[in-house]
Amino acid sequence: MSSQYGRKLKLSIFGQSHSPAIGVNIDGLPAGIKLDIEKLKAFLKRRSPGQNDFSTARVEDDVPEVLSGLVDGITCGAPLAIIIRNTDTKSSDYREQRDIPRPSHADYSAFIKFGGHQDVAGGGHFSGRLTAPLCVAGGICLQVLNELGITISARITQIGKIQGTDEKMKREILIAKEQGDSVGGIIECEATGLPAGLGDPMFDGIENRISGIVFGIPGVKGIEFGSGFEGAARKGSENNDSFYMDGETVKTQTNHCGGILGGITNGMPVLFRVAFKPTPSIEKEQKTVNLSSKENTVLQVTGRHDPCIVPRAVPCVEAAAAIALYDAYLDR
Ligand SMILES: Cc1cc2nc3c(=O)[nH]c(=O)nc-3n(C[C@H](O)[C@H](O)[C@H](O)COP(=O)(O)O)c2cc1C
């Protein structure tokens, strides 16, 4: 199982939704970085469940516990290991899942891959809960990037088919919830202040690196950079970004390339959008199979679920971008 990422910054995420703890081991962080744990907790809070009507009723405090790599709040060069204890687990909700896979969740593919030994409770290692340690690592990278003058921020641009105001998007989620259904959406993320020259051609470009980690967020089904799919319908004359001098700095008039040319940053903001599918677990009846009896059956998923994972995924996208960009920065 590969739950590792990074070239210079090597992170390894471990745990399952209902294991005693989940966590991350980060190797390659430079020594001498002062971490603000309160700021990290505030970042994690944005992802935590149980805060509003849109998210699962599971309540987790998500307190990061540093096991190693930090002395007096400063990184010491040893691997930084941080865990978050799972406190609000209810495994009985999921017993049926070993035999009856939820449509569009990882239950069936994990069953085949791990021969039925996978931890099904709460989605096991495939749970959205594993984005908590991703946010721990990303929150730390964000702190370091901020010190370098680099900022990363993400926002929701679409929920279901709604692109309008926050209120309309919230209503769309609540309607889906009332119907025992779910909705997906789109998150846009922008990183500013990046130097030109980060990344590599072909297989280690900034697009590759960001995509690789963003697809580690469960529920992600698409990513586009700059003008993305819309750019495919434009003429070169409409889509090309003209260069100009801003004092001594080369800039572009538009940013249809999303700040990346040939896999390498050009100094303009890195811009990408991520498509999330609707939450697979829904209360509506769905057709599935019983893997033991080899019969068709129907399933109504009970238990605790997000009717829309998009609001909680916003810091996850920021975290993923921060890890990819800080790794590229260390690799420059
Ligand atoms: C923050 C977050 C919370 C999630 N919560 C749920 C959930 O409550 N129920 C569910 O079925 N899927 C949830 N998911 C999505 C599933 O974990 C994901 O769809 C599943 O693991 C299959 O992976 P895939 O969609 O990437 O193929 C969540 C994802 C994230 C990022």
Side-chain angles (χ1 to χ4, degrees):
M1 175 172 297
S2 175
S3 301
Q4 298 172 340
Y5 177 85
R7 284 177 62 127
K8 287 285 183 283
L9 203 64
K10 294 187 192 305
L11 60 99
S12 173
I13 287 181
F14 59 88
Q16 299 105 251
S17 183
H18 291 194
S19 57
I22 50 180
V24 61
N25 186 58
I26 312 170
D27 207 346
L29 262 183
I33 296 171
K34 190 168 170 36
L35 292 187
D36 185 336
I37 296 292
E38 289 311 311
K39 209 168 158 183
L40 182 61
K41 281 186 194 164
F43 183 66
L44 293 178
K45 191 96 197 144
R46 287 173 56 203
R47 194 218 67 93
S48 291
Q51 298 193 85
N52 54 41
D53 287 351
F54 321 126
S55 78
T56 165
R58 179 171 175 173
V59 180
E60 291 284 2
D61 276 343
D62 286 352
V63 179
E65 268 178 64
V66 180
L67 301 185
S68 69
L70 207 63
V71 177
D72 297 331
I74 297 173
T75 57
C76 65
L80 182 67
I82 299 184
I83 60 163
I84 294 172
R85 290 187 196 274
N86 286 325
T87 52
D88 188 11
T89 54
K90 257 186 163 184
S91 291
S92 56
D93 283 350
Y94 299 93
R95 233 168 267 150
E96 212 183 21
Q97 264 157 238
R98 189 166 297 280
D99 279 341
I100 302 176
R102 288 168 293 175
S104 282
H105 210 292
D107 305 333
Y108 174 67
S109 46
F111 174 85
I112 297 296
K113 171 107 182 150
F114 302 114
H117 296 293
Q118 78 284 3
D119 182 358
V120 291
H125 191 64
F126 296 90
S127 167
R129 179 106 189 99
L130 273 293
T131 55
L134 182 84
C135 284
V136 168
I140 291 167
C141 292
L142 267 177
Q143 288 187 21
V144 187
L145 290 174
N146 287 347
E147 288 296 314
L148 296 166
I150 297 162
T151 62
I152 294 175
S153 73
R155 65 187 180 100
I156 298 170
T157 57
Q158 190 171 321
I159 293 288
K161 290 181 183 149
I162 305 294
Q163 289 183 325
T165 60
D166 273 9
E167 284 312 310
K168 281 190 181 159
M169 291 200 242
K170 280 180 193 163
R171 211 173 60 220
E172 192 72 356
I173 300 174
L174 291 177
I175 291 169
K177 187 183 175 183
E178 275 162 29
Q179 294 171 342
D181 216 330
S182 63
V183 275
I186 297 175
I187 293 175
E188 182 173 83
C189 184
E190 186 180 53
T192 61
L194 287 163
L198 297 187
D200 291 280
M202 293 196 78
F203 309 121
D204 259 326
I206 294 295
E207 285 125 324
N208 311 55
R209 290 164 186 245
I210 291 179
S211 303
I213 191 161
V214 162
F215 277 110
I217 303 172
V220 170
K221 278 296 178 190
I223 187 163
E224 62 175 13
F225 291 83
S227 58
F229 283 85
E230 223 179 282
R234 292 188 191 150
K235 300 261 167 53
S237 55
E238 295 164 329
N239 198 59
N240 289 352
D241 300 308
S242 306
F243 289 109
Y244 73 98
M245 294 306 304
D246 182 16
E248 293 289 301
T249 313
V250 175
K251 287 191 177 173
T252 59
Q253 303 278 5
T254 48
N255 189 19
H256 297 139
C257 71
I260 307 163
L261 293 170
I264 301 166
T265 55
N266 68 354
M268 296 297 286
V270 164
L271 185 76
F272 64 94
R273 279 172 293 279
V274 184
F276 282 84
K277 71 186 192 185
T279 317
S281 302
I282 53 173
E283 282 178 20
K284 275 196 167 166
E285 208 171 77
Q286 301 178 83
K287 288 181 184 157
T288 182
V289 293
N290 186 315
L291 295 169
S292 286
S293 66
K294 308 262 186 277
E295 285 167 341
N296 292 323
T297 185
V298 287
L299 174 71
Q300 245 183 311
V301 184
T302 52
R304 302 169 296 177
H305 306 287
D306 291 276
C308 181
I309 62 179
V310 179
R312 291 183 55 211
V314 174
C316 305
V317 170
E318 290 176 3
I323 295 164
L325 290 171
Y326 187 47
D327 186 42
Y329 183 88
L330 291 174
D331 199 25
R332 74 198 183 284

